[in-house]
Amino acid sequence: SVFNPKPITPYNQRWQFSIQRELPTRVLLDLAYVGNRGTNLEIARNLDPVPNQWLSRSPVRDQATIDFMTSLFPSPFYPLLPGTGLAGTTVSRAQLLMPYPHFTGISDYTYIGFAWYHSLQIKAERRFAAGYTFQSTYTWSKFMQATSFLNGGDTYPERVISDQDFPHRFSLSWIYEFPFGRGKRFGASSHGVARQLISGWQVQGIYTGQSGQALGFGNAIFFGNLKDIPLPKSQRTVDRWFNVDAGFERSSAKQLAWNLRKFSSRFNGVRGDGINQWNLSVIKNTAIREGVNLQFRAEGINALNHVQFQNPNTNPASAAFGTVTDEKSSGRAIQLGLKLLW
């Protein structure tokens, strides 16, 4: 591992254009274009790869190249490197073709990475009045990055959809006070226990919906049409999240090795499960006397118990290819709370 004595400071440029308009019933609407670009991003890099010129260009498994690269020769380093990965009496041809064959790998950081983001952002907000408030936001975006190398010998990072790209995100939060009891539209003249029972009720909610993460299939062999990989939502199940028969080479004996990779590391149209969650709460505030209030809260986290899955298996040679085996969030959780405020 090499420390770069002259690191370059990354920087970020951001630009925004927005229009705000107040609508009837005191609703504020905000439309904005937001973009940014990151430059001089730090990228980990192997300084000791097998040069690309020795890698196979074949679209299928090239056994001749694999045999060529894995052939063993008497090690010129024996016995100079005891206790290392090169302590043996033989060494592979691939090792000898590396720029620094007496090292099994040299890691360094370079500062040629970059990323860029464009989005349409919409926000509607109503400040608290007449017993209720809400805020909703929607973002439609695309986030691209070039922060890794597809092949160890590449001189330029791969331009690919980001693993942090979520094209659609919607959120809604609100508070509503029931119009009953002291100072409200209904039951304001009630007294005693009846007024205490009907006063101080409110409900709150937060909804979050978001696209899933872009998926990739590693150094895979694919003969089909990329558009055939995603399945319609109505056909998607935990046993078949995408079309595993779209054109992937599934045989483990035919997978690629020692090849110049061209298959992208991620695809915009193939995504894992997203976020679909409601958090709801019911609150009852009871005035005991002036300056002293008792608050009861009943809260439901993921109140509708929507399951949200982890990404599916994306290894074409695996028997579990295309299946989902875990969740990324817990099920419904209900919590009750009692709080005294003074």
Side-chain angles (χ1 to χ4, degrees), residues 48 52 146 200 217 234 257 276 280 282:
D48 198 25
N52 286 355
F217 303 94
S234 59
N276 179 21
L280 302 174
V282 177

Side-chain angles (χ1 to χ4, degrees), residues 156-168:
Y156 196 77
E158 177 196 19
R159 298 162 62 102
V160 68
I161 196 73
S162 173
D163 58 353
Q164 297 299 310
D165 173 74
F166 305 103
H168 302 283

Side-chain angles (χ1 to χ4, degrees), residues 31-249:
L31 302 177
Y33 160 74
V34 178
N36 63 54
R37 182 179 178 87
T39 307
N40 294 343
L41 303 182
E42 184 179 77
I43 307 177
R45 183 167 191 173
N46 180 15
L47 297 180
D48 198 25
V50 173
N52 286 355
Q53 68 190 72
W54 297 103
L55 303 179
S56 173
R57 266 67 172 174
S58 173
V60 296
R61 184 179 176 89
D62 186 345
Q63 193 60 48
T65 297
I66 296 172
D67 294 341
F68 177 81
M69 300 298 288
T70 56
S71 297
L72 297 178
F73 296 88
S75 174
F77 312 120
Y78 181 80
L80 303 176
L81 301 172
T84 74
L86 296 174
T89 58
T90 59
V91 66
S92 70
R93 178 183 272 117
Q95 182 67 39
L96 296 174
L97 291 173
M98 292 179 178
Y100 309 97
H102 48 300
F103 289 96
T104 54
I106 303 176
S107 61
D108 187 17
Y109 289 95
T110 183
Y111 298 89
I112 61 174
F114 57 96
W116 63 103
Y117 172 85
H118 300 284
S119 68
L120 169 67
Q121 301 183 10
I122 303 173
K123 180 174 72 173
E125 177 182 7
R126 184 185 189 277
R127 295 188 176 182
F128 196 87
Y132 73 97
T133 179
F134 74 85
Q135 183 181 81
S136 63
T137 62
Y138 169 71
T139 301
W140 177 37
S141 64
K142 189 170 186 178
F143 183 14
M144 298 287 292
Q145 66 183 35
T147 56
S148 62
F149 296 94
L150 198 56
N151 299 282
D154 290 349
T155 58
Y156 196 77
E158 177 196 19
R159 298 162 62 102
V160 68
I161 196 73
S162 173
D163 58 353
Q164 297 299 310
D165 173 74
F166 305 103
H168 302 283
R169 180 177 174 86
F170 175 76
S171 65
L172 172 65
S173 61
W174 79 92
I175 300 173
Y176 176 72
E177 288 186 342
F178 288 100
F180 304 114
R182 180 187 302 172
K184 302 297 182 181
R185 182 178 179 184
F186 303 105
S189 59
S190 59
H191 299 281
V193 176
R195 184 170 66 181
Q196 292 283 38
L197 289 175
I198 65 174
S199 298
W201 288 95
Q202 67 181 44
V203 291
Q204 299 180 3
I206 301 174
Y207 172 75
T208 304
Q210 180 177 283
S211 302
Q213 190 176 43
L215 302 179
F217 303 94
N219 190 20
I221 300 175
F222 184 73
F223 299 111
N225 188 332
L226 292 173
K227 295 181 180 179
D228 295 334
I229 300 176
L231 289 174
K233 191 172 183 180
S234 59
Q235 300 178 23
R236 204 179 301 154
T237 67
V238 293
D239 297 319
R240 186 181 170 89
W241 192 260
F242 49 79
N243 183 9
V244 298
D245 301 316
F248 293 96
E249 176 56 69

